[in-house]
Amino acid sequence: MPDPTLHLRLARLRSQHLTDDTRVTGDVATVARSVCALQAQAFDAARHQVRVRSEGLTADALNQAFEQERSVVRTWLMRGTLHLCAADDLRWLIDVFGPAVNQFGASRRKNLGLDDTTCTRGVAVIRKALANGPMARREIRNRLVEAGVLEEPVGQMLLHLLYHAAALGVVCSGPRMGRDDSFVLLDDWVPPSKSPRGDAALGELARRYFGAYCPAGEADFAA
């Protein structure tokens, strides 16, 4: 029996640049921009997402774009998960998603004992720690413990404090340090760029979404 949804699924593959005739030519940032942002909870998976959507881009190209050119950036965006986006899109995406991401994590922070005062102190310690450049997550953890912001056992408190700082636009992911993630001050890592704000940012998000996920409707976009 023919699949009545086949044409819809094929159309979405094309929108996602996952067919031979729709792959993206250009650099890594162009690929990320073509679908607004790429899921990057696992960085290796992000490499594959770039490769499958592009013409000739390699893992080394993504590493260079991320760590040297800084043309793409990794931070928490849609659904509160890590995404890879073009650097010049980062600030308007944080404007759109940051408040929702922060609210999404609020109850978990409260359950962990991270009240507003502790979060404010923690973000200040993180700012100071990262003032001289990227720092491995384990070292940020040590600084927060030394400052009395976190206590052992730290558990998930560090992750949720970094999540909060990223939603505020203070930090983003930095270069890998061995097997450890690092973080950097966003303003040190990514230069300011002209970008939409307010309703214009929502309009741009809608344009990107429907371009990359059609066929889709308003309810899909809202979700």
Side-chain angles (χ1 to χ4, degrees):
M1 181 177 178
D3 183 352
T5 68
L6 179 61
H7 69 290
L8 296 175
R9 291 188 283 117
L10 289 175
R12 190 159 289 156
L13 285 174
R14 292 179 58 83
S15 295
Q16 278 282 302
H17 305 288
L18 292 172
T19 61
D20 288 342
D21 60 334
T22 59
R23 289 196 175 97
V24 179
T25 58
D27 57 16
V28 175
T30 301
V31 176
R33 199 178 290 114
S34 71
V35 290
C36 195
L38 293 165
Q39 174 66 232
Q41 199 75 2
F43 195 77
D44 284 344
R47 291 189 179 99
H48 291 301
Q49 290 199 61
V50 170
R51 178 186 60 78
V52 76
R53 289 178 169 85
S54 67
E55 294 284 355
L57 291 178
T58 64
D60 286 342
L62 177 51
N63 292 341
Q64 181 172 340
F66 180 66
E67 296 190 359
Q68 299 175 33
E69 299 168 2
R70 305 179 190 176
S71 59
V72 290
V73 185
R74 183 175 178 236
T75 195
W76 286 279
L77 292 171
M78 285 76 87
R79 303 181 306 279
T81 58
L82 285 164
H83 280 73
L84 192 76
C85 69
D88 54 8
D89 284 335
L90 180 62
R91 284 181 170 79
W92 71 264
L93 286 171
I94 290 176
D95 283 350
V96 171
F97 290 108
V101 168
N102 211 21
Q103 184 60 37
F104 181 76
S107 61
R108 183 57 178 150
R109 289 195 301 275
K110 183 178 180 180
N111 290 338
L112 290 169
L114 295 171
D115 59 21
D116 290 345
T117 299
T118 302
C119 286
T120 298
R121 288 180 58 218
V123 171
V125 171
I126 291 170
R127 281 186 185 275
K128 184 176 180 180
L130 299 181
N132 294 320
M135 181 175 286
R137 181 163 61 178
R138 64 180 178 275
E139 183 58 30
I140 297 173
R141 173 188 181 280
N142 293 340
R143 297 290 182 91
L144 288 163
V145 171
E146 290 169 3
V149 175
L150 302 182
E151 296 181 357
E152 300 288 3
V154 170
Q156 291 190 341
M157 288 189 289
L158 173 62
L159 175 62
H160 283 271
L161 193 52
L162 288 167
Y163 183 93
H164 172 63
L168 296 177
V170 175
V171 305
C172 61
S173 291
R176 295 283 293 176
M177 294 185 172
R179 292 192 171 188
D180 201 0
D181 288 328
S182 79
F183 289 85
V184 294
L185 291 177
L186 187 150
D187 286 341
D188 289 347
W189 195 249
V190 181
S193 59
K194 292 182 179 179
S195 58
R197 291 288 188 270
D199 289 345
L202 290 173
E204 178 63 13
L205 180 64
R207 186 185 71 79
R208 300 278 190 97
Y209 175 80
F210 287 114
Y213 291 91
C214 275
E218 292 181 9
D220 301 306
F221 176 56

